[in-house]
């Protein structure tokens, strides 16, 4: 077979529930896999150049009545619902590639609503974005994980190491979206009236641009409270013309990201999308698909990871809304948000690639965000990643819900408390996983004829076992 492809092999009796695909690939296919990884990464970078840039400005440019923060809260509330009900259904109906395209398009109305930001425009657009986000992230995670398994088989390398390396490269590209998105907003805002240095008259009153005085600084940072900011000139909304220019650029980015996926990404069917045990290959009822995420919650490791996952959402919400408003806009002006967040994005990107490459030397403890769910729940990764997005979104919703009611200092205390709980839960997961791996290794050393029924059941139900690896056939030139 030239390049790559699949050979469908139905089980006895024509049972579609046990449908499998033999994936026949030449070793040269690894270059095509790398092309696909780059394609997904670039598309998400372009996509989140638009969304991250927009989200970082919401608490400042749409501060009236808390519109910007409320709209972000709606986004993640909808994402919680979407994580529960939509990913497995949408991926099953549309396949991974076209789920990515449709889900990415759901971001466009939210960006377009910046041209006319009202509760009745931003909130419905935020709901649509949230509903599309969960299938998009689940599709991305499934695509990267499955290609990682295939690439590992082609190159005779560790599956876990390859998956984490792919996720590391993806997050490198994704985190640079902070750089590009904020660079766009900063250049536009700094070149306009909002970024002009203030003109101070003989009485010391500022008449333009950002205005700095000691009273402003005393109410910024940890002392910042949203209800006490009405007299701060630094928090004035920039001119509509500048916001419209930024939004037009961001909207173009969304369209470009969809085109990149549609034109350049190979469908996952090339690498066994309908592999045994996957959502795509299983002919089950709609209610069973909807319950996949809830079934995943029965696993002890999944429950123990909930606090750290909630923290991830809460800290991202704090950075995107509270940090930008309390520490940047309040003290330096809205036009400085982008420059500060560029530094944040660059460091994130560097850490993503370093930790991804160093995984084989330092283990997975320090790279939980990059690939832990895919490693712990490899067989049930669609449901596992849905749970990740669900609880991360809960963290976003909680943080945005109290954003306008609590001062920054109290928010920091809450974040620290959730972090401590999360680290305790994660430590327990690591201990449990080490014990499990040792136990499985002992069981697998026992000859099959000497294994008890209980032993075979433990091996069979291993979450880290994925039959796709058995179904990859490597052909030689």
């Amino acid at each position: 077979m030239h390049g790559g492809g699949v050979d469908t092999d139905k089980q006895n009796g024509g049972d579609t529930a046990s449908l499998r695909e033999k994936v026949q690939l030449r070793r040269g296919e690894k270059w095509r896999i790398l092309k696909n990884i780059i394609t997904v990464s670039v598309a998400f970078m372009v996509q989140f150049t638009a969304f991250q840039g927009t989200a970082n400005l919401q608490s400042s440019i749409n501060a009236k009545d808390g519109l910007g923060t409320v709209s972000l809260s709606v986004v993640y509330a909808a994402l919680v619902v979407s994580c529960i009900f939509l990913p497995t259904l949408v991926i099953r109906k549309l396949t991974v590639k076209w789920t990515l395209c449709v889900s990415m398009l759901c971001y466009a109305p939210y960006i377009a609503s910046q041209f006319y930001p009202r509760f009745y425009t931003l909130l419905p657009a935020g709901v649509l974005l949230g509903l599309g986000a969960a299938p998009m992230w689940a599709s991305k995670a499934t695509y990267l994980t499955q290609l990682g398994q295939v690439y590992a088989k082609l190159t005779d390398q560790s599956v876990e190491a390859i998956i984490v390396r792919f996720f590391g490269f993806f997050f490198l590209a994704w985190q640079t979206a902070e750089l590009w998105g904020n660079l766009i907003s900063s250049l536009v805002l700094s070149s306009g009236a909002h970024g002009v240095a203030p003109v101070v008259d003989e009485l010391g009153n500022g008449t333009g641009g950002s205005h700095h005085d000691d009273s402003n600084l005393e109410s910024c940072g940890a002392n910042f409270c949203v209800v006490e900011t009405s007299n701060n000139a630094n928090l004035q909304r920039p001119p509509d013309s500048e916001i419209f220019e930024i939004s037009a650029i961001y909207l173009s980015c969304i369209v470009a990201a969809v085109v990149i996926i549609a034109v350049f990404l190979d469908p996952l069917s090339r690498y066994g999308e309908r592999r045994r045990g996957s959502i795509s290959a299983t002919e089950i009822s709609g209610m069973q698909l909807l319950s996949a995420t809830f079934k995943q919650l029965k696993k002890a490791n999944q429950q123990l990871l909930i606090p750290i996952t909630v923290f991830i959402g809460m800290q991202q919400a704090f950075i995107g809304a509270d940090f930008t408003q309390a520490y940047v806009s309040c003290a330096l002006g809205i036009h400085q948000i982008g420059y500060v967040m560029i530094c944040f994005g660059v460091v994130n990107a560097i850490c993503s690639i370093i930790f991804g490459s160093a995984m084989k030397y330092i283990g997975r403890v320090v790279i939980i965000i990059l690939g832990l769910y895919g490693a712990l729940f490899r067989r049930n990764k669609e449901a596992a990643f849905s749970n990740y997005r669900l609880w991360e979104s809960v963290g976003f919703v909680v943080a945005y819900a109290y954003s306008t009611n609590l001062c920054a200092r109290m928010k920091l205390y809450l974040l620290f408390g959730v972090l401590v709980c999360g680290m305790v839960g994660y430590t327990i997961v690591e201990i449990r996983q080490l014990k499990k791996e040792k136990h499985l290794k002992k069981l697998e050393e026992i000859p099959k004829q000497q294994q008890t029924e209980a032993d075979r059941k433990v091996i069979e139900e291993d979450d880290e076992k994925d039959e796709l690896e058995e179904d990859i056939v490597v052909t030689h030139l």
Side-chain angles (χ1 to χ4, degrees):
M1 184 178 296
H2 180 68
V6 295
D7 177 24
T8 302
D9 177 25
K10 292 188 177 181
Q11 300 296 314
N12 294 334
D15 182 9
T16 55
S18 60
L19 182 66
R20 297 179 61 176
E21 288 179 337
K22 291 291 185 181
V23 184
Q24 296 185 358
L25 299 168
R26 294 181 177 180
R27 292 199 178 273
E29 183 73 15
K30 63 182 182 180
W31 301 111
R32 188 155 186 163
I33 290 175
L34 294 178
K35 182 269 294 183
N36 286 318
I37 297 298
I38 292 171
T39 299
V40 171
S41 302
V42 170
F44 270 72
M45 179 192 70
V46 176
Q47 175 91 353
F48 280 84
T49 289
F51 178 68
Q52 295 286 80
T54 301
N56 288 339
L57 293 173
Q58 287 305 294
S59 62
S60 298
I61 66 173
N62 292 320
K64 186 178 180 181
D65 298 323
L67 173 58
T69 302
V70 170
S71 72
L72 290 173
S73 182
V74 167
V75 166
Y76 290 99
L79 203 154
V80 169
V81 176
S82 178
C83 284
I84 297 172
F85 296 106
L86 292 183
T88 52
L89 282 174
V90 176
I91 293 172
R92 173 70 196 284
K93 296 295 182 182
L94 299 181
T95 72
V96 165
K97 174 176 178 174
W98 296 110
T99 295
L100 282 172
C101 289
V102 173
S103 299
M104 284 178 160
L105 276 177
C106 291
Y107 282 65
Y110 187 79
I111 308 297
S113 296
Q114 304 303 319
F115 290 99
Y116 192 72
R118 301 291 188 274
F119 278 94
Y120 55 85
T121 58
L122 269 181
L123 300 194
V127 170
L128 180 62
L129 190 158
L131 292 177
M136 181 189 73
W137 282 101
S139 297
K140 178 275 303 179
T142 300
Y143 195 90
L144 292 185
T145 303
Q146 195 153 325
L147 261 65
Q149 293 168 343
V150 175
Y151 190 88
K153 186 68 176 284
L154 289 171
T155 58
D156 299 319
Q157 297 184 59
S158 164
V159 173
E160 185 172 318
I162 292 297
I163 290 174
V164 173
R165 196 176 303 166
F166 282 180
F167 270 80
F169 180 82
F170 169 84
F171 278 101
L172 167 66
W174 181 71
Q175 293 287 7
T176 61
E178 283 279 0
L179 191 161
W180 309 121
N182 290 302
L183 183 62
I184 290 169
S185 65
S186 291
L187 290 175
V188 173
L189 293 175
S190 296
S191 62
H194 203 74
V196 178
V199 178
V200 182
D201 60 23
E202 63 274 10
L203 297 177
N205 298 316
T207 58
S210 301
H211 182 61
H212 306 270
D213 59 41
D214 293 338
S215 61
N216 279 354
L217 294 177
E218 289 175 1
S219 62
C220 296
N223 298 321
F224 182 84
C225 299
V226 175
V227 295
E228 301 173 4
T229 61
S230 57
N231 296 323
N232 192 328
N234 286 340
L235 297 173
Q236 293 178 355
R237 177 181 164 90
D240 285 345
S241 60
E242 296 176 15
I243 295 177
F244 292 171
E245 183 178 349
I246 294 171
S247 299
I249 296 171
Y250 288 161
L251 196 57
S252 301
C253 289
I254 299 294
V255 175
V258 174
V259 171
I260 289 171
I261 293 293
V263 175
F264 298 105
L265 188 71
D266 287 325
L268 192 56
S269 57
R270 183 180 182 88
Y271 304 103
E273 185 163 15
R274 293 175 63 82
R275 74 195 187 286
R276 183 173 62 175
S278 74
I279 292 297
S280 300
T282 310
E283 298 288 347
I284 56 180
S285 70
M287 287 307 296
Q288 287 174 307
L289 284 171
L290 292 178
S291 68
T293 300
F294 288 116
K295 287 181 180 178
Q296 183 69 16
L297 274 174
K298 295 179 181 179
K299 302 179 187 299
N301 282 349
Q302 184 73 68
Q303 295 168 2
L304 288 166
L305 288 173
I306 288 175
I308 193 69
T309 311
V310 170
F311 168 77
I312 291 170
M314 291 179 68
Q315 65 89 14
Q316 288 185 75
F318 180 85
I319 291 291
D322 299 309
F323 176 76
T324 55
Q325 190 177 29
Y327 290 85
V328 185
S329 295
C330 180
L332 304 175
I334 293 176
H335 66 288
Q336 294 290 345
I337 291 176
Y339 294 123
V340 173
M341 295 305 289
I342 284 172
C343 298
F344 174 75
V346 168
V347 173
N348 263 334
I350 292 172
C351 289
S352 291
I353 195 65
I354 289 176
F355 290 149
S357 300
M359 179 265 174
K360 59 184 177 182
Y361 302 110
I362 60 179
R364 64 169 172 260
V365 177
V366 296
I367 51 169
I368 178 174
I369 300 175
L370 301 185
L372 180 54
Y373 273 69
L376 285 175
F377 311 110
R378 199 180 295 170
R379 174 182 286 180
N380 303 296
K381 52 184 166 285
E382 291 95 343
F385 283 116
S386 289
N387 266 277
Y388 174 83
R389 298 306 302 180
L390 187 155
W391 293 108
E392 182 190 43
S393 300
V394 168
F396 274 103
V397 173
V398 169
Y400 286 133
Y402 63 62
S403 181
T404 57
N405 299 313
L406 298 179
C407 295
R409 190 179 302 276
M410 182 56 66
K411 295 173 186 176
L412 290 170
Y413 290 145
L414 286 172
L415 277 175
F416 183 75
V418 177
L419 174 61
V420 171
C421 293
M423 291 308 299
V424 170
Y426 176 65
T427 301
I428 295 173
V429 169
E430 280 294 334
I431 294 172
R432 284 171 53 87
Q433 189 66 12
L434 285 174
K435 290 181 178 179
K436 174 186 171 183
E437 289 172 356
K438 289 180 181 178
H439 181 57
L440 283 171
K441 189 174 181 180
K442 289 181 180 179
L443 291 180
E444 290 173 352
E445 290 174 353
I446 301 174
K448 285 190 177 182
Q449 60 271 23
Q450 297 179 19
Q451 291 176 357
T452 65
E453 186 66 28
D455 292 340
R456 285 192 290 271
K457 188 174 181 180
V458 170
I459 297 173
E460 184 71 22
E461 294 180 354
D462 177 18
D463 268 330
E464 291 194 64
K465 183 180 180 181
D466 192 314
E467 290 84 352
L468 175 63
E469 296 171 35
E470 302 173 4
D471 296 341
I472 301 170
V473 179
V474 180
T475 60
H476 299 277
L477 293 175

